Amino acid sequence: MSKRDIHAEITAQIIAALEAGTPPWRRPWGNGFGPALPRNAVSGHRYRGVNALLLAWHPLALASGDPRWCTYHQAQDKGWQVKKGEKGTAIIFFKKIEIEDDRDDQDDADPRFIPLIRTFVVFHASQMDGIPAWTKPTVPEQSWQALETVKAMLNASGVGLHIGGAEASYSLARDLIRLPPERLFRSPESWAATALHELAHATGHPSRLDREMPREYGSPAYAMEELRAELASAFVCAELGLPTELEQHASYIGNWLEELKHDKREVFRAAAVAQGIADWVLALVPQSED
């Protein structure tokens, strides 16, 4: 029996969604409220990286607004029953394991690590009987708070901000985000998603996450930085309860497809970097004084 290639399987799912015309995470929502980041129904832990990408925008999660997933055995242990005939969704568990090196000259050497990758199959809450009902957040209140939160995050980021013009961009040399006036966007939520996209780019500055920032427009590296920023802003929007309603970047889909078809691990790397970006950006969320 051939060994399962989870990288190829998951990349194929993302490619199929992109070839359909619209990235699955780029979804405007009529009620101004986006999907929640997926979490384990038993532990409450959030899924991260490529797993968050797969589960947050899965049709079952989008249809119900319920972000909960778990394995078959976890459901059984809680007394929940996966419905007959339901198909699970494959996700991955990845960590680096330090290995001992018994060579005599290794006393001062750096530790050695090997990757550990395991696959799990999880089921959505809607695929189970017996699981408690999901209580959705109050939509209007959370949406309003999220928009105010994004503005506070921009102010706290340390990145320069210029409002004006007709295009959104980030300048690494000037460490400056440019955003059109809010009135030029389809909605306040669209403005917020675009602002978070540019803030994601700004994390590449040496004073922040200090990653290589390609400058050649249209190059594969440039397109992949756009993918990292777009995924990061999607993760942040999901955390804040906002739709991922970007008004640009459609031209990059072809570049993303080319890179993903060339390297089945590229989307995993992009999602991992995007998760780190999202973590940095979410640390800017103002904390309640209560």
Side-chain angles (χ1 to χ4, degrees):
M1 184 174 68
S2 61
K3 185 177 179 180
R4 184 175 189 180
D5 190 340
I6 191 64
H7 292 93
E9 286 183 27
I10 290 176
T11 297
Q13 293 178 42
I14 304 297
I15 287 174
L18 291 174
E19 287 181 333
T22 303
W25 58 86
R26 192 187 294 173
R27 290 175 178 267
W29 296 89
N31 60 5
F33 193 66
L37 284 178
R39 65 192 68 181
N40 186 275
V42 177
S43 68
H45 292 163
R46 297 285 178 85
Y47 294 98
R48 295 169 58 81
V50 75
N51 292 334
L53 175 61
L54 289 170
L55 301 181
W57 292 275
H58 191 286
L60 291 174
L62 294 174
S64 63
D66 190 332
R68 297 174 299 167
W69 300 78
C70 68
T71 67
Y72 184 90
H73 292 299
Q74 284 180 314
Q76 278 193 320
D77 289 344
K78 296 293 289 185
W80 309 332
Q81 181 59 53
V82 175
K83 300 173 185 176
K84 185 177 180 179
E86 292 289 349
K87 183 179 179 180
T89 300
I91 62 172
I92 65 166
F93 171 81
F94 172 86
K95 70 181 298 185
K96 291 183 178 180
I97 304 295
E98 184 175 353
I99 60 173
E100 295 184 1
D101 197 323
D102 56 5
R103 289 179 294 177
D104 295 336
D105 60 348
Q106 295 300 308
D107 292 342
D108 298 324
D110 293 333
R112 296 175 62 199
F113 296 89
I114 59 172
L116 171 65
I117 299 177
R118 296 179 61 188
T119 61
F120 292 89
V121 174
V122 293
F123 293 86
H124 186 255
S126 66
Q127 296 176 292
M128 307 173 200
D129 289 323
I131 189 171
W134 169 249
T135 302
K136 297 181 181 180
T138 302
V139 174
E141 180 179 331
Q142 183 161 344
S143 178
W144 179 86
Q145 290 176 345
L147 293 172
E148 297 304 312
T149 294
V150 171
K151 294 177 181 180
M153 292 161 68
L154 286 170
N155 290 333
S157 69
V159 186
L161 178 63
H162 174 79
I163 304 297
E167 294 185 357
S169 64
Y170 169 69
S171 167
L172 180 65
R174 300 181 63 187
D175 194 25
L176 178 70
I177 290 173
R178 292 182 177 273
L179 288 172
E182 288 183 50
R183 59 182 172 78
L184 297 184
F185 289 82
R186 286 194 299 265
S187 68
E189 290 80 13
S190 180
W191 171 87
T194 302
L196 290 171
H197 179 99
E198 300 306 333
L199 183 56
H201 283 309
T203 65
H205 191 273
S207 66
R208 300 181 189 99
L209 298 181
D210 191 19
R211 67 180 175 274
E212 184 176 354
M213 298 288 285
R215 298 174 182 271
E216 185 183 351
Y217 182 85
S219 68
Y222 194 100
M224 295 316 295
E225 168 61 19
E226 287 295 329
L227 179 59
R228 292 191 289 265
E230 181 153 328
L231 291 178
S233 63
F235 291 159
V236 175
C237 283
E239 179 69 18
L240 298 179
L242 286 167
T244 311
E245 191 178 359
L246 290 169
E247 298 194 358
Q248 52 185 355
H249 309 296
S251 61
Y252 292 111
I253 293 178
N255 299 84
W256 298 341
L257 281 169
E258 183 176 349
E259 291 303 308
L260 267 56
K261 289 178 178 178
H262 175 71
D263 186 345
K264 64 186 178 182
R265 287 178 169 81
E266 188 61 57
V267 71
F268 291 79
R269 290 191 287 267
V273 173
Q275 185 67 67
I277 295 171
D279 291 344
W280 191 96
V281 172
L282 287 168
L284 301 173
V285 173
Q287 300 300 308
S288 171
E289 297 180 359
D290 296 338

